[in-house]
Amino acid sequence: MKIEDARVIVASPGRNYVTLKIVTDGGIYGIGDATLNGRELAVASYLSEHVVPLLIGREAMNIEDTWQLLYRSAYWRRGPVTMAAIAAVDMALWDIKGKELGTPVWNLLGGRCRDGLLVYSHASGRSVDQTIEQVHTLIAAGYRAVRVQCLVPGLEAMYGVPRADGAGDGKGLPFVENDWSSQAYLRFVPTLFAAVRDAVGPKPALLHDAHHRLTPTQAGWLGKRLEDFQLFWLEDAVPAEWQDGYKILRHHTTTPLAVGEVFNTIFDCDRLVRNGWVDYIRAAPVHAGGITHLRKIADYAAPHHVKIGCHGAGDLSPVTMAAAAHFGIATYNAAIQEHGEHSAATHRLFPHHWSVTDGYLQPGDAPGLGVDIDEDLAGQLPYERAYLPVTRLEDGTVGDW
Ligand code: CS2
Ligand code: MG
């Protein structure tokens, strides 16, 4: 089965998504997510200018060989753009293989090892009361795990909280700089979780994303004060380029730690995993080289008691959600999947078989990944540049959003 054509589809149903479609000589096609939020066209160009010409004529069934060829032939290996491009090819080839063999990808990965993959959704309020109300709503809707984010009193805007005008981030977002105060955040978050845990009781799994904004000792201080509220995890407490920062953090708290949505290869987390400095790795199929590489990260993590909780915000397309669902149902140390809501327009653009029921994600039984893209609709949804924000600290220093 030879690859006959491959094309990059950029579409914006409220936010930008990049999708690779690979077509074989027998007419079977597969799709892969190539979306890198805020830098989408870099991956689109990397694919169309440099990767697609290498794919034409290759055997579509040889996934590992194609992965290794694209990784090594780049010479300038690793990095978010390269690995998102390789990820898109990888997902599309798994999709093709499943369709050719008439079986869902999870069956090719070893079959099911759980009834359903636990998911978490987002409670994001501009006040504690509003946040608690959203937690209750999500629990009533069947979620067993909820990520809790709330605007810090005194700040105007921050990651994980809708803007004052009610708009979420996404299409056409101009480059903005939000004021930030780590001290105000550190004072506030323990009070937030005291209120939320008091409101919902001990059972719901509560998660929090510190979004790379703390130092190791600040994060240790926070993690210690959150221990009584038994979080499922504290995420991205510290930027992880310097993996040893988590050695310091781990020393100060037993609050479970998650990191890695920005990781794109196993090398980004080898020390974290080998030394047990974290409990969960957050890499997602689209950013970490696809299903093929994510499985290698999971297999490396498993003997070290480290689990996988894939990133799954709304800026990762339903194609990545499909790949994560197949990966998660078939991977022993997959623990939880983020379920960031997609707009109705996005669901229309990407019809899919995956579903969330009773707090669990199901990949469906369709051959391949069970997801598609409506190319006619995509053609009506032009790309519009959008940026992720940054923060400015009190003294004007730039910080992490
Ligand atoms: C966040 C993401 O969902 C998360 O855990 O960290 O929303 C992240 O901010 C976006 O994916 C960045 O594009
Ligand atoms: Mg995050």
Side-chain angles (χ1 to χ4, degrees):
M1 176 186 283
K2 300 297 185 192
I3 295 173
E4 191 170 73
D5 181 34
R7 53 184 176 271
V8 178
I9 303 158
V10 182
S12 188
R15 69 174 324 128
N16 300 309
Y17 294 107
V18 181
T19 307
L20 175 69
K21 184 168 186 172
I22 296 178
V23 186
T24 64
D25 53 7
I28 290 178
Y29 68 86
I31 63 173
D33 186 12
T35 307
L36 188 62
N37 193 19
R39 297 295 184 270
E40 299 87 354
L41 295 190
V43 185
S45 168
Y46 189 103
L47 280 166
S48 51
E49 298 300 324
H50 304 293
V51 170
V52 167
L54 289 178
L55 293 177
I56 307 305
R58 286 191 58 82
E59 169 54 57
M61 298 292 267
N62 295 348
I63 298 175
E64 179 74 26
D65 182 58
T66 299
W67 197 101
Q68 295 293 344
L69 176 103
L70 294 178
Y71 181 78
R72 296 169 192 281
S73 65
Y75 189 78
W76 316 105
R77 55 187 66 180
R78 301 168 62 186
V81 173
T82 297
M83 299 316 294
I86 293 176
V89 175
D90 186 77
M91 284 184 245
L93 295 184
W94 277 109
D95 194 18
I96 288 167
K97 187 182 280 287
K99 288 176 178 176
E100 169 66 7
L101 299 176
T103 190
V105 169
W106 56 258
N107 200 28
L108 299 174
L109 297 175
R112 302 179 79 97
C113 63
R114 52 183 52 86
D115 296 331
L117 180 61
L118 180 67
V119 289
Y120 71 90
S121 188
H122 299 165
S124 309
R126 291 187 64 83
S127 70
V128 174
D129 289 346
Q130 187 185 54
T131 303
I132 290 174
E133 188 182 326
Q134 289 187 17
V135 175
H136 281 309
T137 302
L138 289 168
I139 293 169
Y143 286 96
R144 301 158 187 266
V146 179
R147 190 190 74 177
V148 178
Q149 308 291 133
C150 182
L151 185 64
V152 173
L155 297 184
E156 269 308 304
M158 66 187 278
Y159 164 73
V161 174
R163 298 187 308 213
D165 60 10
D169 63 349
K171 182 167 187 164
L173 193 69
F175 182 70
V176 295
E177 299 182 348
N178 296 335
D179 292 336
W180 173 252
S181 163
S182 292
Q183 287 314 314
Y185 170 77
L186 289 167
R187 282 195 302 273
F188 172 66
V189 172
T191 66
L192 168 66
F193 278 90
V196 173
R197 188 53 89 190
D198 183 54
V200 301
K203 192 170 179 199
L206 300 178
L207 305 90
H208 183 64
D209 191 345
H211 222 245
H212 324 275
R213 294 175 297 210
L214 301 176
T215 65
T217 47
Q218 287 174 334
W221 186 93
L222 178 60
K224 197 179 302 185
R225 283 156 183 77
L226 292 175
E227 287 172 5
D228 289 346
F229 310 121
Q230 291 191 304
L231 268 62
F232 186 94
W233 76 35
L234 174 62
E235 173 190 351
D236 279 343
V238 174
E241 294 94 323
W242 182 51
Q243 296 184 39
D244 285 62
Y246 277 80
K247 178 180 179 182
I248 299 167
L249 170 51
R250 190 57 134 191
H251 176 73
H252 289 289
T253 181
T254 58
T255 291
L257 301 172
V259 68
E261 67 184 42
V262 299
F263 292 172
N264 50 76
T265 69
I266 201 165
F267 303 106
D268 292 326
C269 57
D270 65 325
R271 291 175 57 76
L272 294 169
V273 169
R274 185 160 18 100
N275 293 294
W277 292 336
V278 294
D279 301 278
Y280 301 93
I281 295 295
R282 296 266 290 135
V286 63
H287 300 127
I291 293 170
T292 297
H293 194 60
L294 191 58
R295 284 281 283 204
K296 292 176 176 166
I297 294 174
D299 291 347
Y300 179 64
H304 300 88
H305 306 293
V306 176
K307 297 185 176 182
I308 307 297
C310 291
H311 180 211
D315 52 276
L316 286 67
S317 93
V319 181
T320 277
M321 196 67 173
H326 287 266
F327 161 85
I329 215 79
T331 302
Y332 179 71
N333 60 326
I336 193 169
Q337 170 65 42
E338 181 175 9
H339 180 219
E341 286 300 338
H342 291 111
S343 66
T346 300
H347 285 289
R348 283 193 298 274
L349 179 61
F350 295 102
H352 54 78
H353 286 257
W354 60 261
S355 61
V356 173
T357 310
D358 192 26
Y360 292 99
L361 175 63
Q362 296 293 348
D365 298 319
L369 293 176
V371 64
D372 207 340
I373 183 167
D374 181 331
E375 288 194 74
D376 293 337
L377 184 53
Q380 303 164 34
L381 301 168
Y383 167 82
E384 186 175 339
R385 186 176 294 112
Y387 287 96
L388 291 166
V390 288
T391 57
R392 287 283 176 185
L393 312 185
E394 290 99 328
D395 68 355
T397 309
V398 69
D400 291 297
W401 170 52

PDB file of all heavy atoms in Angstrom, residues 21 49 65 73 81 116 160 164 222 224 296 312 346 374 399:
ATOM      1  N   LYS A  21      -3.692  15.012   5.841  1.00  0.00           N
ATOM      2  CA  LYS A  21      -4.448  13.895   5.263  1.00  0.00           C
ATOM      3  C   LYS A  21      -3.527  13.133   4.321  1.00  0.00           C
ATOM      4  O   LYS A  21      -2.959  13.722   3.396  1.00  0.00           O
ATOM      5  CB  LYS A  21      -5.673  14.421   4.506  1.00  0.00           C
ATOM      6  CG  LYS A  21      -6.574  13.326   3.940  1.00  0.00           C
ATOM      7  CD  LYS A  21      -7.897  13.904   3.457  1.00  0.00           C
ATOM      8  CE  LYS A  21      -8.873  12.823   3.020  1.00  0.00           C
ATOM      9  NZ  LYS A  21     -10.227  13.394   2.726  1.00  0.00           N
ATOM     10  N   GLU A  49       6.236  21.579   2.888  1.00  0.00           N
ATOM     11  CA  GLU A  49       7.484  21.871   2.153  1.00  0.00           C
ATOM     12  C   GLU A  49       8.538  20.783   2.309  1.00  0.00           C
ATOM     13  O   GLU A  49       9.358  20.571   1.413  1.00  0.00           O
ATOM     14  CB  GLU A  49       8.081  23.205   2.640  1.00  0.00           C
ATOM     15  CG  GLU A  49       7.181  24.403   2.395  1.00  0.00           C
ATOM     16  CD  GLU A  49       6.887  24.603   0.903  1.00  0.00           C
ATOM     17  OE1 GLU A  49       7.789  24.343   0.071  1.00  0.00           O
ATOM     18  OE2 GLU A  49       5.737  24.967   0.573  1.00  0.00           O
ATOM     19  N   ASP A  65       9.216   2.662  10.658  1.00  0.00           N
ATOM     20  CA  ASP A  65      10.299   3.038   9.729  1.00  0.00           C
ATOM     21  C   ASP A  65      10.110   4.471   9.255  1.00  0.00           C
ATOM     22  O   ASP A  65      11.059   5.251   9.186  1.00  0.00           O
ATOM     23  CB  ASP A  65      10.304   2.085   8.535  1.00  0.00           C
ATOM     24  CG  ASP A  65      11.427   2.404   7.563  1.00  0.00           C
ATOM     25  OD1 ASP A  65      12.609   2.380   8.002  1.00  0.00           O
ATOM     26  OD2 ASP A  65      11.143   2.750   6.403  1.00  0.00           O
ATOM     27  N   SER A  73      16.117  12.015   9.473  1.00  0.00           N
ATOM     28  CA  SER A  73      16.472  12.752   8.245  1.00  0.00           C
ATOM     29  C   SER A  73      16.408  14.265   8.472  1.00  0.00           C
ATOM     30  O   SER A  73      17.019  15.030   7.719  1.00  0.00           O
ATOM     31  CB  SER A  73      15.523  12.365   7.113  1.00  0.00           C
ATOM     32  OG  SER A  73      14.190  12.784   7.433  1.00  0.00           O
ATOM     33  N   VAL A  81       7.926  21.960  16.613  1.00  0.00           N
ATOM     34  CA  VAL A  81       7.446  21.984  15.221  1.00  0.00           C
ATOM     35  C   VAL A  81       7.717  20.644  14.545  1.00  0.00           C
ATOM     36  O   VAL A  81       6.823  20.015  13.974  1.00  0.00           O
ATOM     37  CB  VAL A  81       8.095  23.145  14.441  1.00  0.00           C
ATOM     38  CG1 VAL A  81       7.728  23.077  12.962  1.00  0.00           C
ATOM     39  CG2 VAL A  81       7.675  24.490  15.039  1.00  0.00           C
ATOM     40  N   GLY A 116     -13.017   2.124  30.500  1.00  0.00           N
ATOM     41  CA  GLY A 116     -13.102   3.480  29.955  1.00  0.00           C
ATOM     42  C   GLY A 116     -11.951   4.283  30.525  1.00  0.00           C
ATOM     43  O   GLY A 116     -11.387   3.922  31.565  1.00  0.00           O
ATOM     44  N   GLY A 160      -6.506  30.124  32.113  1.00  0.00           N
ATOM     45  CA  GLY A 160      -7.503  29.192  32.641  1.00  0.00           C
ATOM     46  C   GLY A 160      -8.765  29.850  33.121  1.00  0.00           C
ATOM     47  O   GLY A 160      -9.661  29.192  33.641  1.00  0.00           O
ATOM     48  N   ALA A 164     -12.791  38.958  30.879  1.00  0.00           N
ATOM     49  CA  ALA A 164     -13.924  39.737  31.421  1.00  0.00           C
ATOM     50  C   ALA A 164     -15.035  39.846  30.385  1.00  0.00           C
ATOM     51  O   ALA A 164     -16.218  39.837  30.722  1.00  0.00           O
ATOM     52  CB  ALA A 164     -13.440  41.122  31.841  1.00  0.00           C
ATOM     53  N   LEU A 222       3.420  25.822  47.942  1.00  0.00           N
ATOM     54  CA  LEU A 222       2.011  25.641  47.554  1.00  0.00           C
ATOM     55  C   LEU A 222       1.612  24.177  47.683  1.00  0.00           C
ATOM     56  O   LEU A 222       0.568  23.850  48.253  1.00  0.00           O
ATOM     57  CB  LEU A 222       1.794  26.113  46.120  1.00  0.00           C
ATOM     58  CG  LEU A 222       0.373  25.925  45.570  1.00  0.00           C
ATOM     59  CD1 LEU A 222      -0.644  26.696  46.394  1.00  0.00           C
ATOM     60  CD2 LEU A 222       0.323  26.356  44.098  1.00  0.00           C
ATOM     61  N   LYS A 224       2.691  21.856  49.555  1.00  0.00           N
ATOM     62  CA  LYS A 224       2.559  21.456  50.964  1.00  0.00           C
ATOM     63  C   LYS A 224       1.186  21.892  51.501  1.00  0.00           C
ATOM     64  O   LYS A 224       0.508  21.144  52.185  1.00  0.00           O
ATOM     65  CB  LYS A 224       3.684  22.102  51.780  1.00  0.00           C
ATOM     66  CG  LYS A 224       3.917  21.474  53.142  1.00  0.00           C
ATOM     67  CD  LYS A 224       5.057  22.170  53.868  1.00  0.00           C
ATOM     68  CE  LYS A 224       6.350  22.094  53.043  1.00  0.00           C
ATOM     69  NZ  LYS A 224       7.516  22.659  53.779  1.00  0.00           N
ATOM     70  N   LYS A 296       6.251   4.928  23.680  1.00  0.00           N
ATOM     71  CA  LYS A 296       7.613   4.710  24.202  1.00  0.00           C
ATOM     72  C   LYS A 296       7.820   5.468  25.515  1.00  0.00           C
ATOM     73  O   LYS A 296       8.462   4.986  26.447  1.00  0.00           O
ATOM     74  CB  LYS A 296       8.641   5.098  23.144  1.00  0.00           C
ATOM     75  CG  LYS A 296       8.592   4.123  21.977  1.00  0.00           C
ATOM     76  CD  LYS A 296       9.511   4.484  20.828  1.00  0.00           C
ATOM     77  CE  LYS A 296       9.425   3.370  19.783  1.00  0.00           C
ATOM     78  NZ  LYS A 296      10.016   3.746  18.496  1.00  0.00           N
ATOM     79  N   GLY A 312      -5.103  17.673  26.795  1.00  0.00           N
ATOM     80  CA  GLY A 312      -6.237  17.564  25.866  1.00  0.00           C
ATOM     81  C   GLY A 312      -7.088  18.811  25.891  1.00  0.00           C
ATOM     82  O   GLY A 312      -8.311  18.758  25.941  1.00  0.00           O
ATOM     83  N   THR A 346     -16.366  22.967  15.752  1.00  0.00           N
ATOM     84  CA  THR A 346     -15.219  22.047  15.669  1.00  0.00           C
ATOM     85  C   THR A 346     -15.700  20.605  15.554  1.00  0.00           C
ATOM     86  O   THR A 346     -15.168  19.817  14.766  1.00  0.00           O
ATOM     87  CB  THR A 346     -14.325  22.226  16.900  1.00  0.00           C
ATOM     88  OG1 THR A 346     -13.850  23.580  16.958  1.00  0.00           O
ATOM     89  CG2 THR A 346     -13.135  21.281  16.855  1.00  0.00           C
ATOM     90  N   ASP A 374     -14.061  17.268   7.484  1.00  0.00           N
ATOM     91  CA  ASP A 374     -14.929  17.687   6.381  1.00  0.00           C
ATOM     92  C   ASP A 374     -14.183  18.745   5.582  1.00  0.00           C
ATOM     93  O   ASP A 374     -14.142  19.918   5.964  1.00  0.00           O
ATOM     94  CB  ASP A 374     -16.242  18.244   6.962  1.00  0.00           C
ATOM     95  CG  ASP A 374     -17.226  18.690   5.875  1.00  0.00           C
ATOM     96  OD1 ASP A 374     -16.750  19.084   4.784  1.00  0.00           O
ATOM     97  OD2 ASP A 374     -18.438  18.661   6.138  1.00  0.00           O
ATOM     98  N   GLY A 399       6.849  37.165  32.149  1.00  0.00           N
ATOM     99  CA  GLY A 399       6.738  35.878  32.848  1.00  0.00           C
ATOM    100  C   GLY A 399       5.963  34.888  32.006  1.00  0.00           C
ATOM    101  O   GLY A 399       5.563  35.192  30.878  1.00  0.00           O
TER     102      GLY A 399
END
